[in-house]
Amino acid sequence: MRKPWVVGVLLAGLLLGGCGDPASEPDAPVPTAPRASAPTQQRAPASPASPAAKPRKAPRVLYLGDSLAMENQKVLGQQLRRDLQAEYTSAPYSGTTLCDYLEGTAERSLVPAADKAAALVRRLRPDVVVLQFWGNSWGYTPCMDGITYDESPSRYFTRYATDARRLTEQIGAAGRGAGPEIVWVAQGPDPITPDRVRRVNALYAERAAASGGRVADAGKAVSPAGGRYTWTQYLPCTASERARPGYCTQPSRGRTALHRDDDYLHFCLAPTTSRPKPCPVRSPGILRIAHAIAKTVRQSVR
């Protein structure tokens, strides 16, 4: 069994990297700021049966998070634009956790002041803010003040709950009482610290209930039936995956890959690189996660 510090080093390398072009140079510098998706807005056509019907307002959606959000952002944006004609902006940073997006932490954070959650809410006025964080559990992120899950689970969860509350409050205050609604993304199984992810997801549910937000259980979409917190590299292909070329990766066995052999955390089937970017290859896990998030966003804006 790997020692905790070995696991921490491994996870830090994985989270700080990002799914990228396998041909990318391994020593390419990590960008200091993400490229947010260019906002687009389209109007839904009026119903033919009611020509004078007022078009539904296209919702504004902001997506923030760590390397999991980094690899998901393009697929999620495509779905939200297609289904809701959403005005979509993504600003994830690999290796981050909740405190990185809190205002007042710029000097000890991986996220610059201009891209803090509250700053983006004031600038973009989103209707929905989607937050996807695996839950940085080691001491890399400076704003965690050295608090790690391995050394002190109780301090880690207390701090994580505090940061979740503060982030909710800052987003709410930036929205000036008119929203946005927050969607917390529940994470998938962790083979190293399964109970940690279970408790992190419980904190997200508690915060959503306390603040009028929602939980998108994307983690369930990448878990075995009947085993919500059982990690697996493969799952049976869905009908949708069998119908889409490249998504049922092992059709002869009726199953598809969620993770690479060398990366049990990310869902991008391309190798991680030092230049974080959206996943460049078809990856069933990412598609499943994006479906779950998009479904919850649709429920939020109805």
Side-chain angles (χ1 to χ4, degrees), residues 232-238 241-242 244-261 269 284 288:
T232 182
Q233 186 176 359
Y234 300 93
L235 281 178
C237 298
T238 65
E241 287 165 351
R242 287 193 294 270
R244 303 180 69 171
Y247 280 98
C248 187
T249 58
Q250 295 184 349
S252 63
R253 305 180 68 177
R255 67 180 192 175
T256 194
L258 301 179
H259 305 277
R260 290 172 51 83
D261 293 340
L269 297 184
R288 292 181 183 216

Side-chain angles (χ1 to χ4, degrees), residues 28 31 39 54 58 78 93 104 109-111 123 178 199 210 212 238 266 276 286:
K54 185 176 181 180
Q78 289 171 342
Y93 282 80
S109 170
L110 303 178
V111 177
R123 186 164 76 244
R199 293 183 63 180
T238 65
H266 295 97
I286 288 178

Side-chain angles (χ1 to χ4, degrees), residues 197-288:
V197 168
R198 188 193 305 267
R199 293 183 63 180
V200 164
N201 285 346
L203 288 175
Y204 292 159
E206 292 171 6
R207 183 86 317 253
S211 61
R214 295 175 186 264
V215 174
D217 194 0
K220 184 178 180 179
V222 289
S223 303
R228 174 61 180 83
Y229 288 97
T230 301
W231 185 90
T232 182
Q233 186 176 359
Y234 300 93
L235 281 178
C237 298
T238 65
S240 174
E241 287 165 351
R242 287 193 294 270
R244 303 180 69 171
Y247 280 98
C248 187
T249 58
Q250 295 184 349
S252 63
R253 305 180 68 177
R255 67 180 192 175
T256 194
L258 301 179
H259 305 277
R260 290 172 51 83
D261 293 340
D262 58 355
D263 187 345
Y264 63 81
L265 173 61
H266 295 97
F267 294 90
C268 183
L269 297 184
T272 56
T273 70
S274 58
R275 181 181 299 166
K277 63 174 66 176
C279 185
V281 300
R282 294 172 178 173
S283 300
I286 288 178
L287 187 63
R288 292 181 183 216

Side-chain angles (χ1 to χ4, degrees), residues 68-175:
L68 296 179
M70 176 68 75
E71 67 182 8
N72 295 341
Q73 60 181 313
K74 184 176 180 180
V75 175
L76 178 60
Q78 289 171 342
Q79 292 197 24
L80 293 175
R81 291 188 179 109
R82 180 194 64 202
D83 297 346
L84 299 172
Q85 294 81 50
E87 184 177 330
Y88 170 80
T89 303
S90 58
Y93 282 80
S94 293
T96 57
T97 192
L98 299 179
C99 61
D100 285 291
Y101 281 89
L102 289 170
E103 289 195 315
T105 64
E107 294 182 358
R108 299 181 299 110
S109 170
L110 303 178
V111 177
D115 286 340
K116 299 297 186 182
L120 290 172
V121 168
R122 284 191 292 268
R123 186 164 76 244
L124 300 173
R125 299 295 176 198
D127 301 293
V128 180
V129 176
V130 179
L131 302 174
Q132 181 167 15
F133 292 91
W134 176 81
N136 189 320
S137 59
W138 62 91
Y140 178 80
T141 304
C143 63
M144 284 295 289
D145 299 318
I147 298 174
T148 66
Y149 173 79
D150 288 333
E151 293 184 2
S152 180
S154 61
R155 288 185 67 204
Y156 168 78
F157 288 120
T158 297
R159 172 60 184 275
Y160 207 81
T162 298
D163 288 344
R165 176 183 54 78
R166 290 181 61 199
L167 189 58
T168 301
E169 292 172 349
Q170 288 190 3
I171 290 173

